[in-house]
Amino acid sequence: MRPCSGAVHYDDGTSVIPSHKNLRNRLLAALTPDLFDALCDQLEPVPLKPGEVLVRPGEPIRSVWFVESGIVSAIANTPEDRRIEIGLVGNEGFVGVPLLLGVDRTPHENLVQVDGTALRLTSAAFDEAVDRHAALRRLLLRYVHAFQIQTSQTALCNSSYNLEERLARWLTMCHDRIDGDEFPLTHEFLSIMLGVRRPGVTTTIHVLEGAGMIKARRSHIRIVDREKLQAAAGDSYGVAEAEYARIIEAALKDSSAADAHTGLWAEPDAAAGRPHIVRSPGDIGRSS
Amino acid sequence: MRPCSGAVHYDDGTSVIPSHKNLRNRLLAALTPDLFDALCDQLEPVPLKPGEVLVRPGEPIRSVWFVESGIVSAIANTPEDRRIEIGLVGNEGFVGVPLLLGVDRTPHENLVQVDGTALRLTSAAFDEAVDRHAALRRLLLRYVHAFQIQTSQTALCNSSYNLEERLARWLTMCHDRIDGDEFPLTHEFLSIMLGVRRPGVTTTIHVLEGAGMIKARRSHIRIVDREKLQAAAGDSYGVAEAEYARIIEAALKDSSAADAHTGLWAEPDAAAGRPHIVRSPGDIGRSS
DNA sequence: CAGTCTTTGTACGGTATAGTACCCTTAATT
DNA sequence: AATTAAGGGTACTATACCGTACAAAGACTG
C-alpha cells in the first residue's frame, strides 16, 4: 500500500501518513484497498480551520474535500444576504458535491465550523477518478442522495419544529461528527446556522442545560446526556441518519469483504490502525 | 425518427405520438435526436392525476417520470407525519432522482399536484439508459444539482421569509410550470405544502388578491400580474431558477447544434411542433 | 493592571403565525 | 329541489419568536 503525499496532523500532536488502514473518512474507508491506492497519490492532507470558506458562492470549486475530522457547514443564501445552514458534513461525507454532478460552481457556501483535517483532491483529479472508477462514482452518488435527504429534513425541521427541538437536533448531529463530547461553538454562530435570534439561542441553551443534557462554557458546548438530547430532538433527528446508514453502511455489510465487483470494502473499521470511536449517526441510545 | 409506444392526450382533446419534435419536457428536449431515439421506444406516455402518489416513502421506486405537463410535489415527512413540500417538478425536470443516484427508495414522497402528462421509463430501462449514455447521465445529474438548490432555497425561505413572500414564491414557481395563468388549488392543500395553517393561507391570498396580483376562485387561482407577484416574492424567488437556467439552458446554448460530443441538442424549442409558451423560470418580468 | 473586545445574560414590547372554533358559500349527489 | 360534503371566510386567544437594547462576564492586549 502506497503512502499518500503528506501527513495528517491530529490535535493530540500525533501525525500519520494516510493509508487505507488509518482513514477516518467513511466514504474513502468504504473503498477497496486497490481503489483507494489509485486515489492515494492525489489526496493531499489539509487542515480545516474554523471560519475557513471551502466553497464560495458563484466561484469555481477547485477541489473536493473528504473530511477526516471536524465539521463543515453547507449554507444557502440569497442576494440580500439572508443565510441559513442546510446541512453538515463531517467524516461521513465530502465537500464539493456539485463537481460530482458536473457543475463547476454553486450559489451556496461551505464553511468550516469545527476545526479538523481533510484529504483534498483537485477538481481535475476528482473528475478523472470518478470517470475512471465506477465504484467510486456509485458510492459518492449514494452520498449525494443521503445529503439531499439531510437538506430536506433540515427544511422540514426549520418550519415545523420549535427552537428547542431544532437546537437539540443540531447538537446531536454535531456530536455524531466529532470525537469526544465537547466542541467549540458560540451562540452567535449557532443563531446564524439555525436562522434565529442570538438571545433565542442563549435561553434555549439554558433550557437544555437545565434539563441536564448539555453543559455550556464560553464558546464551548459539551454533550452530557446524549440520549436525553436526542430525545429532545424528537423526530427532527433520525430520518436522514437512518437513510445514510441504509445506503452507505448497510450496503457495505451486504457485500463480502473486498468485493472486487462492487469495489467496496466490507469492514473498514475492523482494520483501523488508529483507535477512534465509531460514531454512527442513527446509533440511537449510544452511551457517552 | 421512430414514434414512441403510445400517445399523449392533452387537455384540449388533441393527442400526439411523442417524438423529439413535440417534446415538452425540457430535459428530453435537450438531448440530441439520436439519443432521444434510443430512449423513445421505452418511454410510455402516462397521465398524471391530481393526488396520485408517484413515489411512496420507503417503497421501491419503479419508474422515473419525465414530466411533460402538470406539476408534481416533492414532500419530506417524519415518522410522526409532519410534512412539508421541498420542491416542485414540472416539465423542466423528472421524478425519480434517487434511481439516478443508485438508490432504490427514499423516505420522501412525490405527489401529483396539478394534472398533466409524463413520459415514464421503468427503473430497469432507466438504469440501462443512463449507464449506456453518458450524455444523458451528465444532463440528468446537472438537474439533480438544480433540484438540490431548489430544495435548499425552499429551506431558506421557510425560515426567513414571511407567509406572503413564500406564497408569492410558490405561486410564481407554479406559474413557471404550467400553460396559461390559472391552475386548480385549494387553500387546504397550499397550507400543507407551505407548512402553515389553512386560515393563514386564506387571509394571505386575500392580501395578494387585494394587491391585484392574483384572482382566486373556489379551488382555483389565476395569476393576474406576474410581475407584481414575483416582486412580492422578493429574493425568495430567483436563485434556484437562475441556477437551472445557468446549468441546463445556458449550457445548451454554448454547445453547437446537435453536438455529437456532448449529446445535447442546442435549440430544442426552435423545433417544437406544438406551439406552447416557453416559460423559462427566471425569465424575470415576462408579461402575461 | 487597565483597556478593549467578544461572548453571554436578560428584559420588554411587538408581530407573525398557531390553534381552534364556527359559519357561510359553492359544488356535487340524490 | 333537497341534502351533503368540500372549500373558504372570520374571529378569538395563545405563544414562539423577533427586534432591540443594554449590561455583565470572560478573554485577549498593551
Side-chain angles (χ1 to χ4, degrees):
Chain A
M1 197 173 296
R2 238 171 332 176
C4 274
S5 50
V8 181
H9 299 274
Y10 291 111
D11 297 344
D12 57 14
T14 63
S15 70
V16 294
I17 304 294
S19 78
H20 195 262
K21 289 208 179 295
N22 56 25
L23 274 175
R24 307 170 93 197
N25 182 273
R26 293 207 249 149
L27 295 175
L28 293 180
L31 301 174
T32 55
D34 283 1
L35 184 42
F36 178 75
D37 274 2
L39 292 177
C40 192
D41 270 351
Q42 331 239 36
L43 288 169
E44 185 192 2
V46 294
L48 299 175
K49 308 271 193 217
E52 187 182 354
V53 180
L54 301 183
V55 174
R56 230 171 274 276
E59 294 183 16
I61 304 172
R62 303 201 177 284
S63 313
V64 304
W65 291 258
F66 290 90
V67 177
E68 285 272 287
S69 62
I71 301 178
V72 178
S73 276
I75 297 167
N77 40 43
T78 62
E80 59 185 353
D81 212 45
R82 305 202 203 189
R83 335 165 77 208
I84 200 163
E85 185 181 73
I86 52 152
L88 290 178
V89 185
N91 73 350
E92 89 293 350
F94 76 101
V95 173
V97 163
L99 289 183
L100 180 63
L101 303 178
V103 179
D104 74 327
R105 65 197 70 193
T106 166
H108 293 168
E109 189 175 345
N110 284 104
L111 184 69
V112 177
Q113 192 141 113
V114 175
D115 75 326
T117 59
L119 298 172
R120 186 172 67 182
L121 203 53
T122 65
S123 63
F126 179 73
D127 284 350
E128 202 214 314
V130 294
D131 212 53
R132 180 176 311 197
H133 305 293
L136 176 65
R137 185 174 65 239
R138 280 195 293 263
L139 176 68
L140 298 187
L141 285 176
R142 289 212 304 277
Y143 172 70
V144 172
H145 171 76
F147 191 74
Q148 162 74 31
I149 299 299
Q150 195 195 311
T151 298
S152 310
Q153 287 300 117
T154 303
L156 174 55
C157 292
N158 284 343
S159 63
S160 67
Y161 288 85
N162 66 25
L163 183 48
E164 188 178 333
E165 293 166 311
R166 279 153 59 200
L167 180 57
R169 169 179 187 255
W170 200 92
L171 295 175
T172 303
M173 287 176 65
C174 272
H175 193 219
D176 286 335
R177 288 166 174 80
I178 55 156
D179 291 336
D181 296 318
E182 183 161 351
F183 42 94
L185 196 56
T186 67
H187 298 183
E188 171 73 26
F189 197 77
L190 251 177
S191 75
I192 295 169
M193 294 301 104
L194 296 174
V196 296
R197 273 178 334 141
R198 197 273 309 158
V201 170
T202 302
T203 55
T204 309
I205 281 182
H206 293 164
V207 173
L208 299 183
E209 198 167 11
M213 302 170 187
I214 61 174
K215 191 81 192 128
R217 276 172 41 213
R218 185 189 171 86
S219 299
H220 288 264
I221 287 183
R222 182 159 46 87
I223 310 297
V224 174
D225 188 336
R226 152 87 187 203
E227 206 165 334
K228 255 194 208 161
L229 186 64
Q230 189 172 318
D235 281 332
S236 74
Y237 177 87
V239 171
E241 290 72 21
E243 189 70 352
Y244 182 90
R246 185 177 77 83
I247 66 173
I248 306 284
E249 298 184 331
L252 296 181
K253 293 191 184 113
D254 289 346
S255 63
S256 60
D259 183 330
H261 177 66
T262 65
L264 300 180
W265 179 251
E267 296 171 280
D269 293 311
R274 180 188 164 84
H276 70 277
I277 299 168
V278 177
R279 182 152 291 155
S280 168
D283 179 6
I284 292 171
R286 118 184 199 284
S287 56
S288 58
Chain B
M1 195 173 298
R2 242 169 327 173
C4 275
S5 50
V8 181
H9 300 274
Y10 290 112
D11 297 343
D12 57 14
T14 64
S15 70
V16 294
I17 304 296
S19 79
H20 195 263
K21 289 207 179 297
N22 56 25
L23 275 175
R24 307 169 92 196
N25 182 274
R26 294 207 247 148
L27 295 176
L28 293 180
L31 301 174
T32 55
D34 282 2
L35 183 42
F36 178 75
D37 274 2
L39 293 178
C40 192
D41 269 352
Q42 332 238 37
L43 289 169
E44 184 192 0
V46 293
L48 300 174
K49 308 271 192 217
E52 187 183 354
V53 180
L54 301 184
V55 174
R56 231 171 274 276
E59 294 183 15
I61 303 172
R62 303 200 178 283
S63 314
V64 304
W65 290 257
F66 290 91
V67 177
E68 285 274 285
S69 62
I71 300 177
V72 179
S73 277
I75 297 166
N77 40 44
T78 62
E80 60 186 351
D81 212 45
R82 307 204 202 189
R83 333 164 79 207
I84 200 163
E85 184 181 73
I86 51 151
L88 290 178
V89 184
N91 74 351
E92 90 293 351
F94 77 101
V95 174
V97 164
L99 288 183
L100 180 64
L101 302 178
V103 179
D104 74 328
R105 67 196 69 191
T106 167
H108 292 168
E109 187 174 345
N110 285 105
L111 185 67
V112 177
Q113 191 142 114
V114 176
D115 73 326
T117 59
L119 297 173
R120 188 172 65 182
L121 203 53
T122 64
S123 63
F126 179 72
D127 283 350
E128 201 213 315
V130 294
D131 211 54
R132 181 177 309 198
H133 306 291
L136 176 65
R137 184 174 66 238
R138 280 195 294 260
L139 176 69
L140 298 187
L141 285 176
R142 289 214 303 278
Y143 171 70
V144 171
H145 171 76
F147 191 75
Q148 163 74 29
I149 300 299
Q150 195 196 311
T151 298
S152 310
Q153 287 300 118
T154 302
L156 176 52
C157 292
N158 284 344
S159 63
S160 69
Y161 289 85
N162 66 25
L163 184 48
E164 187 177 335
E165 294 166 310
R166 279 153 60 200
L167 180 57
R169 170 178 186 257
W170 201 91
L171 295 174
T172 303
M173 288 177 65
C174 272
H175 193 218
D176 286 336
R177 288 167 174 79
I178 56 157
D179 292 335
D181 296 317
E182 184 161 351
F183 42 95
L185 199 56
T186 68
H187 298 184
E188 171 72 27
F189 198 77
L190 251 178
S191 75
I192 295 168
M193 294 301 103
L194 296 173
V196 295
R197 277 177 329 140
R198 199 270 310 159
V201 170
T202 302
T203 56
T204 308
I205 280 182
H206 293 163
V207 174
L208 299 182
E209 197 166 12
M213 302 171 187
I214 61 174
K215 192 80 191 129
R217 274 171 44 212
R218 185 189 171 87
S219 300
H220 289 263
I221 286 183
R222 182 158 47 86
I223 310 297
V224 173
D225 188 336
R226 153 85 187 205
E227 208 165 332
K228 256 194 207 160
L229 186 65
Q230 190 173 318
D235 281 331
S236 74
Y237 178 87
V239 171
E241 290 70 20
E243 189 69 354
Y244 182 91
R246 184 177 78 82
I247 65 172
I248 306 285
E249 298 184 331
L252 296 181
K253 293 189 183 113
D254 289 346
S255 61
S256 60
D259 183 330
H261 177 66
T262 65
L264 300 180
W265 179 251
E267 296 172 280
D269 295 310
R274 180 188 163 86
H276 70 277
I277 300 169
V278 177
R279 182 153 290 157
S280 169
D283 178 7
I284 292 170
R286 121 185 197 288
S287 57
S288 57

